[in-house]
Amino acid sequence: MKKAGLSHIIAVSGMHVSFIISLIGLIGGRRRITAFIGIPLVWFFAAMMAFTPSVTRASLMISLMLLAPILRRESDPPTNLSLALLILLIINPKSIANLSLQLSFAAMVGIILITPRIYSAFLSLITKRNWIARLIKAVAMIFSASVGALIFTTPIAALNFGYIPLYSIFANILCLWAMSLAFTLACPICIIGWV
């Protein structure tokens, strides 16, 4: 998975935190319910993962995003990302040298700055509204997010690992949806198994 550029899928990261919030959003529906259930659950998950940089970053960003409408404020991803980095560096200034932190924040910068532009370009090409268009949108979103993340993480990965898997974008398109589905279904299955 490392050679294919898919190690981020199996590494516990911010992606898993977003799966948790997405699942709560699907069940709860309303923003207040999602916030009141999601924020404590996300921080419980972060504690279980020993507050790794990527999980802590995601927990901070998602908490700020969920709190914004409750506090009647507008959520701003660059501000949320900057505040998350500031908090992490106040707690541990040496964490700036942590490769996981560098990759996590670099990926988010790419997703915030680049992904919407690439996705908008794909959407402008879609004229019909049918199941094929929905499928193309889903593939375009995964592709856009992968490219956005890779633009800023590739130089860091090349410097630290010595190579760049060029086919990782296509590997992400083929595998990311399956991982998302597996993780989302695993949550209720774990609860059922516990009962």
Side-chain angles (χ1 to χ4, degrees):
M1 299 213 45
K2 184 178 174 185
K3 286 182 180 177
L6 295 170
S7 56
H8 67 93
I9 291 175
I10 54 170
V12 178
S13 65
M15 180 174 69
H16 298 91
V17 175
S18 66
F19 289 157
I20 292 169
I21 292 299
S22 298
L23 185 62
I24 293 168
L26 285 173
I27 295 168
R30 296 171 60 194
R31 285 188 178 196
R32 284 185 179 271
I33 293 170
T34 303
F36 287 122
I37 295 171
I39 292 171
L41 191 59
V42 158
W43 286 104
F44 176 72
F45 180 75
M48 284 178 30
M49 298 302 115
F51 296 102
T52 58
S54 61
V55 171
T56 305
R57 187 251 331 133
S59 299
L60 284 166
M61 286 189 70
I62 285 178
S63 296
L64 292 169
M65 181 190 74
L66 291 173
L67 282 173
I70 292 171
L71 300 174
R72 299 174 197 266
R73 297 285 182 261
E74 197 173 312
S75 182
D76 178 46
T79 303
N80 294 349
L81 185 65
S82 301
L83 182 59
L85 182 60
L86 177 66
I87 291 169
L88 286 173
L89 293 178
I90 287 171
I91 294 168
N92 181 7
K94 292 182 182 178
S95 66
I96 194 70
N98 184 305
L99 181 60
S100 175
L101 181 135
Q102 293 171 11
L103 289 171
S104 176
F105 278 87
M108 283 309 301
V109 168
I111 288 170
I112 290 169
L113 296 178
I114 307 297
T115 297
R117 294 175 186 180
I118 297 170
Y119 187 62
S120 295
F122 275 110
L123 290 183
S124 66
L125 300 174
I126 299 171
T127 55
K128 295 182 180 179
R129 292 178 183 253
N130 55 25
W131 69 271
I132 296 172
R134 286 195 296 270
L135 179 66
I136 292 170
K137 283 182 183 180
V139 170
M141 188 52 170
I142 294 169
F143 180 81
S144 303
S146 296
V147 171
L150 285 172
I151 285 175
F152 289 97
T153 58
T154 299
I156 298 169
L159 189 65
N160 286 280
F161 301 121
Y163 68 94
I164 304 165
L166 296 176
Y167 51 86
S168 65
I169 295 172
F170 303 106
N172 274 278
I173 291 170
L174 293 172
C175 298
L176 197 56
W177 68 270
M179 180 58 184
S180 302
L181 183 64
F183 187 85
T184 304
L185 292 175
C187 291
I189 288 169
C190 288
I191 293 168
I192 292 166
W194 177 70
V195 172

